[in-house]
Amino acid sequence: MPAVVALDIVVTGIAKADYWREMFERYGASRGGQRFFLITDDSPARGKAGILGLVIGEIRAWEFGSPPCGWVFDIAVAPDLRLEGLGTALLDAIADRFRKAGVTKMRTMVSRDNHVLLSFLRSQGMMAGPYIQLEKDLDEDS
């Protein structure tokens, strides 16, 4: 888990160890064929140590009338290893698991200002889907 936290700090600039422990408990140990926490770790050929990338997702069904589909919650690759195919391999690996579970769609959400991730996902064939994210601030004056 420390290697996952370290990768996330490099990618996002935010330390959130408790979040990652909870994600691993939820998606790592008790997957049940519907939840996935995949990592790619060090390789002697690359001369790297630790986790190089990760992808997390699950199959969700019937929310807001959506047929079952695979949701990707997070994908991250060490910045110095981008453009080496690790992100593609991770996304392909989780897509394969979704397919084996019988779903035919994969979805995710990405911030409009995260140009690196948005460009990557578009390069992988992902595009805007039929749903629109809506939000509301929940301050004390609402």
Side-chain angles (χ1 to χ4, degrees):
M1 202 45 41
V4 170
V5 172
L7 173 62
D8 185 54
I9 291 170
V10 170
V11 172
T12 68
I14 302 169
K16 45 191 185 278
D18 290 341
Y19 168 80
W20 284 108
R21 271 191 288 283
E22 182 182 320
M23 289 298 282
F24 186 74
E25 286 173 16
R26 180 185 261 178
Y27 296 97
S30 59
R31 295 180 274 181
Q34 302 286 305
R35 294 179 172 178
F36 308 96
F37 191 115
L38 309 177
I39 61 168
T40 181
D41 59 6
D42 58 344
S43 165
R46 282 188 160 66
K48 295 284 184 179
I51 294 187
L52 308 178
L54 61 87
V55 64
I56 303 167
E58 78 174 326
I59 296 171
R60 299 180 71 132
W62 309 117
E63 295 168 324
F64 301 101
S66 168
C69 65
W71 272 93
V72 175
F73 298 139
D74 197 355
I75 185 165
V77 171
D80 62 329
L81 296 174
R82 291 181 182 153
L83 302 177
E84 291 191 23
L86 293 175
T88 298
L90 285 163
L91 201 61
D92 287 349
I94 202 164
D96 285 343
R97 282 159 177 85
F98 292 153
R99 274 189 219 91
K100 286 177 183 170
V103 298
T104 60
K105 291 275 185 201
M106 180 168 63
R107 294 188 170 120
T108 193
M109 286 195 300
V110 60
S111 175
R112 292 175 197 256
D113 63 353
N114 189 336
H115 301 290
V116 171
L117 184 55
L118 190 56
S119 292
F120 168 71
L121 293 170
R122 284 183 175 159
S123 77
Q124 300 302 304
M126 296 193 81
M127 62 183 111
Y131 298 92
I132 298 171
Q133 175 205 350
L134 302 173
E135 66 182 27
K136 175 183 175 180
D137 287 332
L138 299 176
D139 59 6
E140 293 180 28
D141 297 330
S142 296

